[in-house]
Amino acid sequence: LAIQLQHTAMSLFNQTDSAAEADTLFAGLSAGGNIIMPMEKTFWGAYFGMFTDKFGINWMINFDEVPHN
C-alpha cells in the first residue's frame, strides 16, 4: 500500500557536517522527486538546497560553512 502525501505543510531539515555530505544526501534523497532549490551557497552563509522526494516529503539540506555559536 503506497500513500502519496499531497501539499504537506511539514518539511524535514537535515544539518550536515560537510558540503560533501550535503551533496550526497541531496542526490540520494531527491532522486525521482522535484528539486525546488539546488544545493548552492546562500547569502546567509550556508550551503543549502530544498526538494520534494518521490514520496511527497519536503526536505531542506543545510551545511553551515561558518559554524554558529
Side-chain angles (χ1 to χ4, degrees):
L1 175 65
I3 299 173
Q4 179 76 27
L5 297 177
Q6 297 293 324
H7 307 290
T8 180
M10 181 190 79
S11 294
L12 298 177
F13 181 86
N14 192 304
Q15 177 70 37
T16 64
D17 293 325
S18 69
E21 180 184 11
D23 285 335
T24 299
L25 281 172
F26 191 92
L29 293 170
S30 67
N34 181 38
I35 295 174
I36 298 165
M37 178 180 171
M39 293 301 300
E40 59 187 33
K41 290 184 179 184
T42 64
F43 69 89
W44 64 85
Y47 185 58
F48 179 84
M50 295 175 59
F51 62 90
T52 303
D53 70 16
K54 63 184 176 184
F55 302 107
I57 305 297
N58 298 316
W59 289 84
M60 294 181 280
I61 307 294
N62 190 76
F63 168 62
D64 285 324
E65 295 183 326
V66 178
H68 301 283
N69 293 330

